[in-house]
Amino acid sequence: MTYPPPSDGWSDPAWSAQQPDPTLPASGPPISAAPVGKDPYAPVDPYAGAPGIPAQAAPVDPYAAAAAYPQPGYPQPMGYAGYGGYQPPPPQNGLAIASMIVSIIGAIGLCGYGLGGYIGLIGAILGHVARRQIRERGEGGAGFATAGIVVGWISTVIAVLATIAMVVFFVWLANQESTTGYGTSY
């Protein structure tokens, strides 16, 4: 490390001969010129200098060849074309979601003596209408509509069976003779 000369006016002739004058600029004006030499990022040719293979006359653009050959690794998803080629998924059909929700409410309604399952019929009908709309409009939500149809019809069938069972039970109960003694028998 070198130190500047002392400020008391004394200077070492050996030191000033080694160092440039500190009052002058460190370098001249900047020169704008094209870089000279080989591209430091260019791929290394493994066959350079091999006997029987001629050397390349001009530098090759490494990115031109990369576009022609697929790169190793994971393939790009089909239909991907950069930022401009991305297509968002189709919108969900609201009626399909409503069908599934109403059918689930109908299935939960089976807990009320099975009669709440009739709400599932509405969910199944909404599901059929939603599937038709999805086919015509190209919307998403076919799985919601199918779930609404299946759950709706199952809860409706269980509700019908529960209604039949209750009617049969009440008819049977009404035809029983009273054995409690409160009634009079003639």
Side-chain angles (χ1 to χ4, degrees), residues 119-137:
I119 296 172
L121 179 63
I122 297 169
I125 292 171
L126 287 175
H128 285 291
V129 173
R131 287 191 59 185
R132 184 183 46 129
Q133 286 180 354
I134 289 169
R135 277 194 307 269
E136 292 173 358
R137 299 178 187 172

Side-chain angles (χ1 to χ4, degrees), residues 93-107 117-131 134 141-157:
N93 187 302
L95 202 57
I97 297 172
S99 163
M100 187 184 69
I101 291 171
V102 170
S103 294
I104 290 173
I105 291 172
Y118 286 112
I119 296 172
L121 179 63
I122 297 169
I125 292 171
L126 287 175
H128 285 291
V129 173
R131 287 191 59 185
I134 289 169
F144 289 128
T146 303
I149 292 169
V150 170
V151 173
W153 281 119
I154 289 173
S155 64
T156 302
V157 167

Side-chain angles (χ1 to χ4, degrees), residues 38 42-56 60:
K38 205 172 178 188
V44 177
D45 185 12
Y47 302 109
I53 298 176
Q56 294 178 347
V60 177

Side-chain angles (χ1 to χ4, degrees), residues 2-181:
T2 60
Y3 296 99
S7 61
D8 60 358
W10 181 85
S11 66
D12 183 13
W15 185 82
S16 59
Q18 296 172 357
Q19 300 297 323
D21 188 6
T23 59
L24 296 176
S27 66
I31 300 172
S32 62
V36 180
K38 205 172 178 188
D39 182 14
Y41 299 108
V44 177
D45 185 12
Y47 302 109
I53 298 176
Q56 294 178 347
V60 177
D61 183 16
Y63 302 110
Y69 299 104
Q71 296 296 319
Y74 294 108
Q76 291 293 327
M78 297 302 291
Y80 180 76
Y83 293 110
Y86 176 72
Q87 294 179 355
Q92 295 288 326
N93 187 302
L95 202 57
I97 297 172
S99 163
M100 187 184 69
I101 291 171
V102 170
S103 294
I104 290 173
I105 291 172
I108 293 171
L110 289 172
C111 296
Y113 297 109
L115 299 178
Y118 286 112
I119 296 172
L121 179 63
I122 297 169
I125 292 171
L126 287 175
H128 285 291
V129 173
R131 287 191 59 185
R132 184 183 46 129
Q133 286 180 354
I134 289 169
R135 277 194 307 269
E136 292 173 358
R137 299 178 187 172
E139 295 176 325
F144 289 128
T146 303
I149 292 169
V150 170
V151 173
W153 281 119
I154 289 173
S155 64
T156 302
V157 167
I158 292 173
V160 168
L161 293 175
T163 303
I164 292 171
M166 284 192 295
V167 168
V168 167
F169 175 72
F170 287 125
V171 168
W172 175 79
L173 191 62
N175 289 332
Q176 295 297 315
E177 282 189 25
S178 174
T179 58
T180 58

